[in-house]
Amino acid sequence: MGEKHLTLLINLAVTGGSENSSFSLSLNNVQEDGIMIGSGFKRNMANFKYDYDISKKLSMTLNARYSRQTIFGAGTSSTGSQSTNRLRNAVRYQPFEGGSTVNVDEFDPLLQIKPTW
């Protein structure tokens, strides 16, 4: 937890057409390293739309979409039980004495050190 991560987002869009037709094509690529070691995801998407005016009263539209996503590690969308999802358990973890009854902004860990002599 707490690792710096890189997010790469690439978008490409092309549009065009003629007097009675138009098209649009967009491509999207996302790559993200997760904040937890060994986690992250990659996603590729493609969208295509084609419009054609057959006559003044009749038109045709074609839409197509492709998506492929790969998730690495156990993130928020991990399948499995509540006990095996690392992110859910990390949110519950309270790294100080007193748990949720202590105000995090006022907690000083140095005051919790007890002398051993």
Side-chain angles (χ1 to χ4, degrees):
M1 288 290 290
E3 295 287 321
K4 292 182 180 180
H5 70 280
L6 174 69
T7 300
L8 176 64
L9 174 62
I10 301 170
N11 290 309
L12 174 67
V14 178
T15 59
S18 64
E19 187 176 309
N20 58 351
S21 68
S22 64
F23 74 91
S24 171
L25 173 67
S26 64
L27 305 171
N28 176 285
N29 176 271
V30 179
Q31 299 177 27
E32 182 174 303
D33 298 331
I35 60 170
M36 296 178 72
I37 295 172
S39 66
F41 78 93
K42 293 181 180 180
R43 180 178 62 212
N44 293 306
M45 292 180 62
N47 296 306
F48 178 75
K49 182 177 181 182
Y50 179 74
D51 291 315
Y52 181 71
D53 294 330
I54 298 169
S55 67
K56 290 183 180 181
K57 296 183 179 183
L58 183 63
S59 65
M60 176 186 75
T61 300
L62 171 69
N63 289 308
R65 177 172 285 173
Y66 168 82
S67 177
R68 181 176 182 162
Q69 179 170 300
T70 305
I71 299 173
F72 306 100
T76 56
S77 62
S78 172
T79 58
S81 68
Q82 193 171 1
S83 62
T84 61
N85 188 303
R86 291 184 296 180
L87 187 56
R88 288 181 187 153
N89 289 320
V91 171
R92 288 189 189 131
Y93 176 66
Q94 302 265 338
F96 50 86
E97 288 184 32
S100 60
T101 61
V102 176
N103 185 342
V104 175
D105 296 325
E106 296 175 4
F107 180 76
D108 186 355
L110 297 177
L111 294 176
Q112 303 300 317
I113 298 174
K114 301 195 179 5
T116 58
W117 62 87

